[in-house]
């Protein structure tokens, strides 16, 4: 009896200590988030580098707490199987998350981490120069060091199977090469095949519509008009402008998004804003009871991207969406659009075309851009290819997937910032998001059969509440794997995205 009650005391003490630590780190994280938002949107140029040090100091404090002796002790107690099973579901999820961070962080020796932080900033500068000069050799030595470090990280983290699994896990817990390869193989083969058929078809959507100038005040007015209609709560967020749009959650009552307006590209602001709104609805929809805990955020990069892509593509690029909103868009841009029929507009926003630049790619070819990067990252980490081979590997893969070869490295291997930042393992989450979003759409269509009819009427509430109830509210309560199975009843399956793309473009291109 005595032993049992002592254990109980110990457990409840450990739980309360853990909750305190979790909450303190969460508060720090919120403040760091707000500071980062300010750096990227409002802070004057001259103050940014100075303030970066303040953010760095606070981040270090949060990091120290997450790997502190106290954290080690409470995690040791709470992860004892006989203790863990007594915890409620929310505490279990918080312990799981903090434990994963603890395990990862403590494995990297501090001098290796320091080397990595320094390399990130020098590699980024060299990447910018290389891109400007179209000279891969300026970036290559830094990228070589980065790949070597990332290989080391993989060894420190530990993995089963392919070493790249250790890096994938950072962005999509539980994801492996062994799971991803068959998913991507199916998607790659069918996308290449569909692209060929589209190129061989006699039809091509109009391009003239988007070669016109669209004034920025009207773009802003249209964006502000559709934002609340999509369910974004402007009392729990705000919209600002940045060169690279993003969404950032300070807490469930303060989820901010940014967009950018380009006179010569009206699609950028419209679809960029809808995309970020998808991220924001996720964060605004998390159960507010999770505030102050580690599970208060979206569960993974892939699931997050599924929510933004769902809103941007499945909803925002649908015929029904524009059946409802096209009249409003025409009212904002009468000179450009009053003589353009809805059907022409709808097909034009769904134009498919092989292109060099990932961020400008359409819904179909986007995944090919990702899979190209995935194959390259995997081979770099396993040592099958070396950094010096990259331009030629890149170009031959472009030829194989798209049938085009970039005329310069700036339009090819040098286009993305990710590798200079050490972001190996990040790219797959974009396509994984697309894959999840089609699988989720398949489930929604069964549960809300009038899904498209509602969109055509401009009624998004039922759809948003479905997403909130089935996905958003849970935050990190479930791992991405568990969540997808819970929502759709099965493991990730690329067949849904393949079918969705096939049906959509067969109709648009008459193939
Ligand atoms: Zn996104």
């Amino acid at each position: 009896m005595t032993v049992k009650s002592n254990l109980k005391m110990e457990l409840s003490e450990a739980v309360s200590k853990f909750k305190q630590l979790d909450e303190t780190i969460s508060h720090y994280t919120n403040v760091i988030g707000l500071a980062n938002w300010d750096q990227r949107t409002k802070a004057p140029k001259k103050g940014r580098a100075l303030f970066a040090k303040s953010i760095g100091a606070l981040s270090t404090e949060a990091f120290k707490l997450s790997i502190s002796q106290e954290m080690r002790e409470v995690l040791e107690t709470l992860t004892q199987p006989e203790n863990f099973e007594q915890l409620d579901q929310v505490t279990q999820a918080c312990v799981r998350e903090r434990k994963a961070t603890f395990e990862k962080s403590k494995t990297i020796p501090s001098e290796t981490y320091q080397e990595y932080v320094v390399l990130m900033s020098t590699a980024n500068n060299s990447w910018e120069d290389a891109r400007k000069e179209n000279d891969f050799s300026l970036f290559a030595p830094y990228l070589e060091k980065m790949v070597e470090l990332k290989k080391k990280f993989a060894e420190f983290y530990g993995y089963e199977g392919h070493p790249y699994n250790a890096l994938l896990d950072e962005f999509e817990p539980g994801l492996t090469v062994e799971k991803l390869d068959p998913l991507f193989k199916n998607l790659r083969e069918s996308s290449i095949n569909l692209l060929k058929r589209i190129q061989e078809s006699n039809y091509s959507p109009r391009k003239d519509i988007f070669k016109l100038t669209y004034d920025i005040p009207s773009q802003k007015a249209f964006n502000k008009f559709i934002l609340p209609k999509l369910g974004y709560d402007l009392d729990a967020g705000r919209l600002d402008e940045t060169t690279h749009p993003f969404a950032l959650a300070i807490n469930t009552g303060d989820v901010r998004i940014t967009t950018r307006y380009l006179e010569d590209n009206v699609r950028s602001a419209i679809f960029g804003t809808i995309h970020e709104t998808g991220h924001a609805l996720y964060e605004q929809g998390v159960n507010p009871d999770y505030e102050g805990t580690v599970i208060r955020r979206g569960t993974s990069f892939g699931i997050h991207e599924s929510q933004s892509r769902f809103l941007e593509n499945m909803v925002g690029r649908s015929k029904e969406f524009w059946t409802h909103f096209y009249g409003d868009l025409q009212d904002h841009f009468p000179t450009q659009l009053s003589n353009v029929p809805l059907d022409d507009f709808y097909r034009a926003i769904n134009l498919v075309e092989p292109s060099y630049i990932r961020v400008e790619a359409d819904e179909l070819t986007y995944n090919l851009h990702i899979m190209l990067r995935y194959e390259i990252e995997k081979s770099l980490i396993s040592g099958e290819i070396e950094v010096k081979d990259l331009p030629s590997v890149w170009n031959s893969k472009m030829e194989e997937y798209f049938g085009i070869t970039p005329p310069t490295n700036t339009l090819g291997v040098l286009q993305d910032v990710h590798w200079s930042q050490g972001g190996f393992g990040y790219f797959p989450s974009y396509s994984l998001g697309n894959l999840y979003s089609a699988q989720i759409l398949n489930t929604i269509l069964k549960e809300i059969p009038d899904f498209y009819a509602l969109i055509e009427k401009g009624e998004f509430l039922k759809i948003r509440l479905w997403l909130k109830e089935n996905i958003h509210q849970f935050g990190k309560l479930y791992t991405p794997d568990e969540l997808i199975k819970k929502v759709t009843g099965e493991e990730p399956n690329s067949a849904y995205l393949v079918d969705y793309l096939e049906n959509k473009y067969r109709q648009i291109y008459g193939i």
Side-chain angles (χ1 to χ4, degrees):
M1 270 316 275
T2 333
V3 173
K4 206 174 179 187
S5 76
N6 275 347
L7 268 178
K8 254 196 169 157
M9 271 297 287
E10 205 182 283
L11 178 58
S12 67
E13 201 185 322
V15 168
S16 99
K17 267 190 186 168
F18 173 76
K19 286 189 173 170
Q20 265 174 20
L21 277 172
D22 190 25
E23 191 176 345
T24 306
I25 299 171
S26 300
H27 288 316
Y28 285 176
T29 311
N30 294 349
V31 177
I32 293 163
L34 177 60
N36 277 324
W37 175 86
D38 188 61
Q39 291 280 80
R40 293 163 77 178
T41 53
K42 302 287 177 192
K45 248 189 206 157
K46 288 184 179 171
R48 286 181 194 181
L50 297 172
F51 194 59
K53 291 182 184 162
S54 310
I55 299 178
L58 193 56
S59 304
T60 308
E61 288 309 306
F63 179 72
K64 277 187 193 159
L65 272 185
S66 73
I67 55 161
S68 60
Q69 184 58 27
E70 204 181 358
M71 182 65 94
R72 177 197 298 273
E73 282 167 16
V74 291
L75 285 176
E76 257 168 29
T77 306
L78 296 179
T79 51
Q80 298 290 326
E82 68 275 17
N83 287 341
F84 190 74
E85 66 188 20
Q86 291 183 57
L87 305 175
D88 60 71
Q89 194 190 8
V90 169
T91 312
Q92 282 186 343
C94 293
V95 168
R96 181 197 70 216
E97 289 297 317
R98 288 286 178 220
K99 167 101 172 149
T101 309
F102 180 86
E103 291 295 333
K104 275 219 161 85
S105 309
K106 73 160 192 179
T107 57
I108 307 284
S110 59
E111 63 276 12
T112 309
Y113 193 75
Q114 193 57 33
E115 196 187 335
Y116 175 57
V117 173
V118 173
L119 181 61
M120 271 201 282
S121 80
T122 49
N124 192 250
N125 291 338
S126 76
W127 168 74
E128 279 180 2
D129 292 343
R131 195 165 166 239
K132 214 182 296 158
E133 306 285 328
N134 183 35
D135 185 351
F136 182 71
S137 72
L138 297 177
F139 180 45
Y142 296 91
L143 186 55
E144 271 165 20
K145 274 189 209 151
M146 189 58 90
V147 171
E148 282 318 306
L149 268 181
K150 283 284 151 174
K151 284 183 185 170
K152 271 194 198 168
F153 276 35
E155 297 306 321
F156 286 133
Y157 292 157
Y159 54 84
E160 275 173 36
H162 201 288
Y164 187 59
N165 290 346
L167 305 179
L168 281 174
D169 193 74
E170 281 193 88
F171 300 98
E172 202 65 14
L175 186 66
T176 62
V177 163
E178 292 74 18
K179 285 184 192 169
L180 207 43
D181 274 347
L183 291 173
F184 276 3
K185 181 172 187 280
N186 181 25
L187 181 61
R188 184 174 61 246
E189 287 169 359
S190 65
S191 298
I192 292 175
N193 174 287
L194 181 56
L195 177 62
K196 274 210 181 97
R197 282 183 288 137
I198 287 173
Q199 288 180 297
E200 283 160 11
S201 78
N202 297 320
Y203 178 73
S204 179
R206 287 173 64 172
K207 290 186 185 172
D208 60 310
I209 304 170
F210 298 120
K211 288 190 175 141
L212 304 169
T213 298
Y214 289 74
D215 71 276
I216 288 174
S218 302
Q219 289 196 39
K220 286 187 184 175
F222 182 72
N223 266 2
K224 291 209 168 115
F225 164 73
I226 60 166
L227 249 192
K229 294 199 182 298
L230 293 169
Y232 179 74
D233 181 358
L234 277 158
D235 289 331
R238 48 180 291 141
L239 174 65
D240 291 271
E241 288 175 47
T242 50
T243 321
H244 303 287
F246 64 91
L248 196 150
I250 316 291
N251 54 53
T252 46
D254 186 354
V255 184
R256 306 174 185 202
I257 57 173
T258 70
T259 194
R260 65 168 172 190
Y261 301 100
L262 304 170
E263 269 194 337
D264 59 355
N265 185 354
V266 69
R267 284 170 294 179
S268 169
I270 296 175
F271 294 105
T273 307
I274 298 176
H275 180 96
E276 298 309 332
T277 303
H279 284 301
L281 292 181
Y282 191 175
E283 296 288 337
Q284 284 183 339
V286 174
N287 184 344
D289 292 347
Y290 299 168
E291 206 60 69
T293 75
V294 65
I295 65 163
R296 196 266 293 159
R297 301 276 159 86
T299 189
S300 70
F301 284 80
I303 300 286
H304 234 297
E305 204 58 15
S306 81
Q307 295 309 289
S308 56
R309 303 273 165 162
F310 184 84
L311 205 65
E312 178 191 351
N313 292 331
M314 272 74 183
V315 175
R317 281 194 169 86
S318 70
K319 181 77 175 278
E320 291 78 7
F321 184 85
W322 290 104
T323 304
H324 183 78
F325 283 117
Y326 190 52
D328 296 305
L329 189 68
Q330 285 176 311
D331 289 345
H332 283 80
F333 301 103
T335 16
Q336 295 89 338
L337 295 174
S338 58
N339 290 322
V340 177
L342 166 66
D343 200 49
D344 285 13
F345 176 82
Y346 164 67
R347 287 163 194 256
I349 58 168
N350 286 297
L351 170 87
V352 170
E353 206 171 40
S355 60
Y356 303 122
I357 303 293
R358 172 184 60 87
V359 293
E360 289 162 13
D362 55 76
E363 212 180 328
L364 171 64
T365 60
Y366 191 89
N367 296 311
L368 291 172
H369 284 278
I370 294 304
M371 291 184 278
L372 176 151
R373 287 154 178 77
Y374 166 69
E375 292 296 331
I376 288 178
E377 288 191 353
K378 220 170 50 169
S379 315
L380 277 175
I381 297 301
S382 68
E384 282 162 72
I385 59 170
E386 289 175 41
V387 166
K388 64 174 169 52
D389 308 324
L390 276 189
S392 70
V393 173
W394 184 283
N395 291 351
S396 71
K397 287 223 177 289
M398 280 298 291
E399 192 58 48
E400 184 191 339
Y401 293 1
F402 298 87
I404 56 175
T405 305
T408 64
N409 285 330
T410 301
L411 288 171
V413 68
L414 285 172
Q415 65 184 272
D416 297 302
V417 69
H418 301 57
W419 290 342
S420 77
Q421 299 295 292
F424 288 84
Y426 188 113
F427 281 122
S429 51
Y430 292 120
S431 280
L432 204 59
N434 287 332
L435 211 132
Y436 290 152
S437 69
Q439 193 165 332
I440 291 165
L441 176 69
N442 178 69
T443 305
I444 285 201
L445 288 174
K446 282 186 214 150
E447 296 187 16
I448 309 181
D450 57 346
F451 176 80
Y452 286 115
L454 289 170
I455 295 176
E456 196 169 328
K457 282 190 264 178
E459 289 174 16
F460 298 103
L461 184 65
K462 196 170 168 186
I463 297 167
R464 183 169 60 81
L465 290 180
W466 189 94
L467 292 169
K468 183 174 176 169
E469 193 187 318
N470 289 281
I471 298 166
H472 300 170
Q473 63 153 325
F474 298 121
K476 285 184 196 282
L477 187 66
Y478 300 107
T479 64
D481 249 12
E482 289 169 347
L483 187 66
I484 277 297
K485 258 182 261 167
K486 182 174 157 55
V487 177
T488 69
E490 61 177 308
E491 303 271 347
N493 182 345
S494 53
Y496 296 108
L497 181 58
V498 168
D499 286 351
Y500 161 84
L501 293 169
E502 181 73 31
N503 291 334
K504 178 167 188 172
Y505 292 110
R506 197 188 284 160
Q507 186 263 326
I508 290 174
Y509 280 86
I511 49 176

